[in-house]
Amino acid sequence: MKVVNSFWSQSSKHHCGGSDKKPLEIYMFIDPLCPECWALEPILKKLQIEYGRYFSLKHVLSGRLANLNLSKKKNYESIAELWEKTASRSGMSCDGSLWHETPVDAPYNVSLALKASELQGRRAGIRFLRRIQELLFLEKQNISNLEVLKACAESVGLDVDEFTKDMHSESASKAFQNDLQITSEMDVHEIPTLVFFNENVEDEGIKITGSYPYDVYVQILEEMLTEKPEKSTPPPLETFLKAFKFVATKEIAVVYNMTVSQIEREMKKLVLKQVVEQIPAKYGTFWRYIES
């Protein structure tokens, strides 16, 4: 399997600003409406838990779905079908009936909202992105609606007034255009795409298009680092749940190298202890941590 599609000069990085001073930086090209990006969440969680001290992650909006003519019913039907297939294959539930009931009619708003959330910090942007995906794929909400976006911002602890103002600001618009420019410069045509860069500006980045088994991403980390990285052990399950608040059985199974049925048994014990509550989804199950 050939996964390294191409190499990219680090000169394309200058638009994105600095990293967190970690040896590697990963650019993940996404669209918040893309089920394949959602399906990659379990692998990203595992990578961050086991090797997170070696890399920082930067989300770049590709604009791919924002550019679709979503007003055509035929497009809605094909997107719904893709969602159902992806959910069935990946174990990360997404409900395609949204496109027949409350379709996302202004994808550009979602892109601006994500850029506005990032103006309150990288971590704020990551929390906002995750919650937007939950609202979209699980709760079937039209995430281009301004009231939905504001409620989302509030739920992840953003300053809502600041967020609303930033959404309509030149800063958010420029940040989105910047992402589109990087997407174009790096010749990204499919999502998700990950581009790995190391600290040496003379070295080329490695671009991987699509989704691959976990070991492939680890192999690339090892190739790009000057020394073999040490793998961190995942935290105790309850600590993991407290940190992430709301996760799929599939995500826990991938992080802990266990089967879905093993995880469901463990989680049912935690339900009895009132540590989590079970949230059924169209495909599989999610778990919400109960704050004490």
Side-chain angles (χ1 to χ4, degrees), residues 97-130:
S97 62
L98 167 133
W99 293 99
H100 304 296
E101 297 167 16
T102 51
V104 178
D105 50 2
Y108 184 68
N109 284 354
V110 187
S111 299
L112 288 181
L114 274 164
K115 292 291 110 182
S117 72
E118 287 176 0
L119 291 173
Q120 297 189 33
R122 187 184 287 204
R123 288 179 187 277
I126 289 169
R127 290 198 309 273
F128 185 82
L129 171 61
R130 170 68 184 206

Side-chain angles (χ1 to χ4, degrees), residues 4 21 34-35 77 96 102 136 142 172 187 194 220 240 250 265:
V4 179
K21 302 299 180 194
C34 168
E77 284 171 7
T102 51
L136 176 72
N142 176 2
D187 205 26
L194 273 66
I220 291 165
F240 171 85
K250 175 71 175 184
R265 279 199 298 275

Side-chain angles (χ1 to χ4, degrees), residues 52-65:
R53 64 186 183 281
Y54 296 102
F55 69 87
S56 58
L57 184 68
K58 161 81 180 173
H59 289 103
V60 184
L61 292 175
S62 72
R64 179 168 166 261
L65 291 178

Side-chain angles (χ1 to χ4, degrees), residues 133-251:
Q133 290 172 314
E134 292 166 1
L135 290 170
L136 176 72
F137 295 121
L138 305 176
E139 299 181 29
K140 296 198 297 183
Q141 294 203 31
N142 176 2
I143 59 167
S144 63
N145 178 284
L146 185 57
E147 293 308 311
V148 172
L149 290 167
K150 283 161 68 174
C152 178
E154 185 175 13
S155 73
V156 297
L158 299 188
D159 179 323
V160 179
D161 290 340
E162 192 81 11
F163 167 79
T164 308
K165 188 175 73 180
D166 284 339
M167 242 193 95
H168 300 98
S169 72
E170 197 177 331
S171 300
S173 178
K174 273 187 175 174
F176 180 43
Q177 292 306 317
N178 186 39
D179 280 11
L180 297 183
Q181 186 179 348
I182 294 163
T183 304
S184 172
E185 283 183 5
M186 293 197 187
D187 205 26
V188 172
H189 299 291
E190 292 178 54
I191 48 174
T193 288
L194 273 66
V195 184
F196 292 70
F197 290 107
N198 65 19
E199 293 174 297
N200 187 351
V201 293
E202 301 302 317
D203 289 352
E204 295 169 317
I206 297 179
K207 182 170 78 171
I208 303 183
T209 297
S211 303
Y212 291 93
Y214 180 69
D215 290 346
V216 170
Y217 300 101
V218 174
Q219 183 187 335
I220 291 165
L221 285 179
E222 289 177 348
E223 283 176 15
M224 296 203 74
L225 290 163
T226 51
E227 56 187 332
K228 187 173 172 62
E230 288 182 30
K231 182 168 79 171
S232 297
T233 307
L237 183 53
E238 287 189 35
T239 306
F240 171 85
L241 295 165
K242 186 176 183 179
F244 288 102
K245 312 293 187 202
F246 185 80
V247 289
T249 300
K250 175 71 175 184
E251 292 179 286

